[in-house]
Structure formats: C-alpha cells, structure tokens
Amino acid sequence: MHIAEGYLPPWHAAAWTAVATPFVVHGARQVVREVREHPESRLLLGAAGAFTFVLSAIKLPSVTGSSSHPTGTGFGAVLFRPPVMALLGGIVLAFQALLLAHGGITTWGANVMSMAVIGPWVGYGLYAVCRRARLPLLVGVFAAMAAADLATYLTTAFQLALAHPDPASGFPGALAKFLGIFAVTQIPLALAEGFLGVLAFRVLRDVAAPELRRLGVLPREDTGSVDADRPSSGSSGSSGSSGSSAAAVTTEA
C-alpha cells in the first residue's frame, strides 16, 4: 500500500475506480454541505486532510522487502464521519500519485477503496462501538486509528491477491503471502498510529472543544479540562444565590 502504477490488470483498475467514484462524489457533497452550514469547520477539515497526507506519505521500509506507512484516515473519520474521508483521501492519493510517485493514477480507485473508504468505515465503526460501551473518548480514538490502518492493509492484500493469485494455491495462498508481508511492520505501525491519534485529540480537546462538541465528538455536557474546576465555583455560586434569596425574603418581610 499504496498499490503502484501498473501493478493491477487494466480491468481490475477500472473496476475499482468505478466502485470508488460514487463514494468520492458523495464525500464531496458532504464536504460542501459541511462548509456551507458551518464555515468555521474549514480549519478542521484542512487539518484532517493534512494529517492524512503527511502520515500516508511516510514510507517505512519493511524487513520483508516491501514498505509500509500510516494512513491517518481514522482521525478525519472520527471528526467528520467516514463519507468526508472518501473525498479527502481521494485528493490525498491523487496528489501523492502525481507529486510523489506514491501509488498511481490507474490504481487510484483501488487505493481509494482501501485507504479512504473501507479503512475509515471500519475505524469509525469500532469507535462507535467504544462510545456506545461508554469507554473513554481516547480509547475510541486509539481503536479508530489502529483499526482504520489495519483495515486498509487487509483490503490492499485482498486486492493484490485477487489480481495476482498464487500459481499453486490460488487466491487463498496469495492472500496469506501478502498479509504475511504486511503484518511484520503494519501491526506495530497501526498501534503507533493509534497512540499518535490519542496525542492529536488531546491537543484538539484543549484548543477546539466547542467545535468538537458541535461535531458530536465531545458530548454537549462534557466541558473538558477547562471546566474541571467548576464544582467549587458552582458551590460558591449556590451560596451566593441562597444569600440573594434570603435577602429577598427579608425585604419582603
């Protein structure tokens, strides 16, 4: 991952592009709607796209002779939901193919499906499960980031095995080989990406709490670390209000 230019048979490349394009179009509509209704979200949208671009552009050599990299798509999926990441991920993959020779134009659709569609949906799904189980936010973020990364590579292994089955063992044998190649570096890399996502969201929780509440990432009643000291002020406020009530009673008497 990314699948390099020319590595897929033409009809495989065309089929994956045909499947991926509707997701990207839907994502574009969601982004336009988000920006139209909430112009202030442009900064976070840009941050989500930049986060994905930077992380997925890092190529780490694998001991098996391949290369691996983070994806960063779980970050945007938690913030804006998976459909938005189809567009942002599609743009990132197009720029990387054109400017960095990372991935390819003919394999763009296959790479979009793995990194910008399936990865974000799997990551967000696990995040939603964690939140429904009332686990802490950062546990859900870690799960989303790591799961989106691993789901991307599982999908890529599936795509490659489908295009290049093993001569002896066919698709199952090729799938096992591709998964084995990726697993050596990708599992620890996914865990590292999860921890990086936790650090990023800790920063966002401090500097962009109102926006996170509007997006539903933080509950409306969760005021974060800024409001941690409010019980004491609340108690003084209560005593102040009691004093006011007493004064009002005295006045009326």
Side-chain angles (χ1 to χ4, degrees), residues 169-195:
S169 53
F171 171 80
L175 181 61
K177 290 179 180 179
F178 283 118
L179 289 175
I181 290 172
F182 290 141
V184 176
T185 50
Q186 205 57 40
I187 292 176
L189 193 58
L191 297 177
E193 184 173 342
F195 284 115

Side-chain angles (χ1 to χ4, degrees), residues 6-103:
Y7 201 72
L8 293 179
W11 73 272
H12 278 252
W16 285 115
T17 300
V19 172
T21 299
F23 289 96
V24 176
V25 172
H26 177 61
R29 291 174 177 171
Q30 293 297 106
V31 169
V32 170
R33 178 181 177 182
E34 175 69 24
V35 171
R36 183 175 61 246
E37 296 179 356
H38 304 283
E40 68 277 9
S41 65
R42 291 175 181 174
L43 186 60
L44 274 182
L45 280 168
F51 191 80
T52 296
F53 182 87
V54 171
L55 284 193
S56 60
I58 300 172
K59 295 181 69 173
L60 302 177
S62 169
V63 296
T64 55
S66 179
S67 64
S68 298
H69 61 79
T71 64
T73 55
F75 184 84
V78 170
L79 285 176
F80 293 104
R81 308 301 184 265
V84 169
M85 288 312 299
L87 175 67
L88 296 184
I91 294 173
V92 164
L93 287 165
F95 270 97
Q96 289 177 348
L98 292 171
L99 302 178
L100 304 178
H102 195 181

